[in-house]
Amino acid sequence: MSCLVFVNKSHWLGYFYWVVYVIIWPPEVRRNSMLGPWIVTCQFPTANILEYTVDVFFRQTWWDDRLKFRGPMNILRLNNLMASKIWTPDTFFHNGKKSVAHNMTMPNKLLRIMENGTLLYTMRLTVQAECPMHLEDFPMDSHSCPLKFGSYAYTTSEVTYIWIRNASDSVQVASDGSRLNQYDLLGQTVNKETIKSSTGEYTVMMVHFHLKRKIGYFVIQTYLPCIMTVILSQVSFWLNRESVPARTVFGVTTVLTMTTLSISARNSLPKVAYATAMDWFIAVCYAFVFSALIEFATVNYFTKRGWAWDGKSVVNDKKKEASVMKKNNAYAVAVANYAPASGKDLPTVSKSGGTDPGKTRSEAKVEAKKTFNSVSKIDRMSRIIFPVLFGIFNMVYWATYLNREPVVKDMVPST
């Protein structure tokens, strides 16, 4: 077995082991070929990278009758410099973007020749390969990352690659080899295809690693804060509509919080032109929070209309009271001017004006009307409608996305 290290540009994502076996038919001895194994290694993407890095222990084997020998040794263990003296397959990675051969402390290559002419050629490579990712279901998404390889110059009439074993034996994953931080390795599949180009037909060998993203990180960092923000916005429904500062703070703060969560969640994704599952969840949460703010504005609007109507009756009462006071004061002035100067203060009617029972009744009437308007019917309905709708949305959302399981034909489950 060989150790497979999956590394990202900024994160160590995990390790696992796998072995691949193929047959290579050299052009000179195509009719006298034998089986030979080769080993490859890999590394997987995070949410913001559509490529993965593969650390490959690349093992190839073929049979060449020109290299048969007889002697006291059954296997010749040769220096890596001998690889340039014999024929070797020109295997390359079709979806590789960059490849590096390891040369520390010496070139990481191995060459062995058996007495029957079978050759084993192993090298260590680091390949940066593309992984097509569809993020519509992010972060409940699944991906199939391929690794494609084949001959660069030899057509199918000259060199043919063949899987010598079934999928479970061609790619072997150790039981304790998969330790990915953001993904679960569901399994792998192997197959081959023939592609046509202007220079001929070529054999392409493929290994697909099927991954499912772990959702725990996104639940803690995005989903739970969004849910708590929506619940916090609905607390304002239980405040009196006269508490304008408190309800305004609730509405504006929750809207700004949802905006911040939306921006931070989008920064962890590549700039795709479609909405992901997380985008839909954040958009709905934003709609609930914004609706709570609009609900308060509606309640406050109708509250002002009610107070304006009540104010008219209060103004009429105050006008009547003012006219009475004016008459009383005029009468008091007349009495003061024409009364004999006896040195005694005469009681004036204006004193009784301060204890007018009509004023107390009007104030009590206004206070009663204030108490009646303290709870709005809109608030009463919102206390039930908003939580019920949000709960239904969560049930539909999680039931839809969590029950989506990728169906892959001939997949070998990871052990």
Side-chain angles (χ1 to χ4, degrees):
M1 290 298 200
S2 65
C3 179
L4 215 83
V5 182
F6 286 15
V7 188
N8 199 330
K9 291 182 177 178
S10 57
H11 300 83
W12 288 87
L13 298 182
Y15 303 88
F16 66 82
Y17 303 87
W18 57 293
V19 182
V20 181
Y21 298 91
V22 297
I23 300 176
I24 301 176
W25 303 80
E28 296 88 348
V29 289
R30 190 163 185 264
R31 295 183 179 178
N32 298 315
S33 303
M34 293 187 64
L35 305 181
W38 63 276
I39 301 176
V40 189
T41 44
C42 271
Q43 163 195 19
F44 281 95
T46 55
N48 58 343
I49 300 175
L50 299 177
E51 58 191 31
Y52 64 98
T53 303
V54 185
D55 191 10
V56 182
F57 292 88
F58 194 66
R59 182 175 297 171
Q60 303 175 93
T61 184
W62 64 95
W63 186 77
D64 192 341
D65 60 353
R66 299 171 300 178
L67 299 178
K68 290 181 181 180
F69 67 92
R70 288 186 181 181
M73 300 177 62
N74 296 328
I75 301 176
L76 291 178
R77 294 172 175 85
L78 303 176
N79 188 279
N80 62 84
L81 298 177
M82 290 296 298
S84 60
K85 308 299 182 179
I86 62 174
W87 180 90
T88 55
D90 58 343
T91 305
F92 84 109
F93 295 93
H94 287 258
N95 61 330
K97 300 182 66 177
K98 183 180 180 181
S99 300
V100 177
H102 293 263
N103 296 316
M104 294 298 294
T105 57
M106 290 291 291
N108 300 166
K109 296 180 181 180
L110 179 147
L111 178 62
R112 293 178 182 178
I113 302 177
M114 287 68 170
E115 61 180 357
N116 62 352
T118 301
L119 290 90
L120 174 63
Y121 183 47
T122 303
M123 66 180 68
R124 185 188 175 198
L125 304 174
T126 297
V127 181
Q128 189 175 0
E130 296 178 347
C131 180
M133 301 176 69
H134 302 283
L135 302 174
E136 289 87 353
D137 295 339
F138 176 86
M140 284 79 70
D141 52 340
S142 300
H143 302 285
S144 178
C145 291
L147 185 64
K148 303 178 181 181
F149 60 92
S151 176
Y152 183 81
Y154 297 111
T155 62
T156 54
S157 61
E158 298 170 328
V159 173
T160 302
Y161 291 78
I162 301 175
W163 296 107
I164 64 173
R165 300 184 182 182
N166 53 27
S168 59
D169 295 331
S170 297
V171 180
Q172 299 176 358
V173 180
S175 57
D176 59 343
S178 178
R179 293 189 296 272
L180 303 177
N181 293 332
Q182 294 191 25
Y183 294 92
D184 287 321
L185 180 63
L186 304 179
Q188 62 280 341
T189 56
V190 296
N191 55 358
K192 60 177 294 185
E193 65 178 4
T194 301
I195 61 173
K196 295 181 180 181
S197 67
S198 59
T199 57
E201 295 184 354
Y202 299 88
T203 301
V204 178
M205 311 300 288
M206 293 184 293
V207 181
H208 286 86
F209 297 99
H210 304 284
L211 307 172
K212 185 174 179 61
R213 196 186 303 273
K214 296 179 181 178
I215 194 177
Y217 171 82
F218 303 97
V219 170
I220 297 173
Q221 296 294 325
T222 303
Y223 283 100
L224 286 181
C226 288
I227 293 174
M228 296 304 296
T229 303
V230 173
I231 295 175
L232 182 63
S233 68
Q234 297 176 4
V235 173
S236 63
F237 301 153
W238 298 87
L239 300 178
N240 292 335
R241 56 178 170 177
E242 293 85 3
S243 304
V244 177
R247 298 190 67 166
T248 303
V249 168
F250 267 108
V252 175
T253 303
T254 52
V255 169
L256 294 178
T257 302
M258 284 303 307
T259 303
T260 304
L261 289 174
S262 176
I263 295 174
S264 62
R266 195 65 186 177
N267 287 336
S268 62
L269 277 173
K271 294 177 175 60
V272 294
Y274 49 83
T276 64
M278 180 181 289
D279 292 333
W280 288 116
F281 188 87
I282 294 177
V284 174
C285 290
Y286 194 97
F288 272 98
V289 171
F290 192 76
S291 299
L293 182 60
I294 297 301
E295 187 271 349
F296 166 66
T298 304
V299 171
N300 192 41
Y301 172 75
F302 286 109
T303 300
K304 288 183 177 180
R305 289 189 61 186
W307 277 71
W309 176 261
D310 296 338
K312 292 180 181 180
S313 61
V314 174
V315 170
N316 292 334
D317 294 338
K318 287 185 176 181
K319 286 182 178 179
K320 293 179 181 179
E321 181 181 352
S323 62
V324 173
M325 290 290 294
K326 187 176 181 181
K327 292 179 181 179
N328 292 338
N329 290 334
Y331 177 76
V333 170
V335 172
N337 292 332
Y338 294 99
S342 60
K344 295 182 179 179
D345 295 333
L346 296 176
T348 60
V349 184
S350 60
K351 293 183 179 180
S352 62
T355 59
D356 188 6
K359 181 179 180 181
T360 304
R361 288 195 300 269
S362 63
E363 291 179 354
K365 184 177 180 181
V366 172
E367 293 296 332
K369 290 184 179 181
K370 290 182 180 179
T371 304
F372 177 79
N373 290 332
S374 60
V375 180
S376 172
K377 292 182 179 179
I378 301 177
D379 282 338
R380 291 193 182 100
M381 292 186 295
S382 299
R383 294 172 185 176
I384 300 175
I385 295 176
F386 274 72
V388 170
L389 290 179
F390 189 64
I392 293 175
F393 163 72
N394 275 275
M395 288 189 294
V396 173
Y397 179 88
W398 295 109
T400 301
Y401 285 101
L402 292 181
N403 291 331
R404 291 185 180 180
E405 293 294 338
V407 179
V408 182
K409 185 179 180 181
D410 299 330
M411 183 181 70
V412 178
S414 177
T415 57

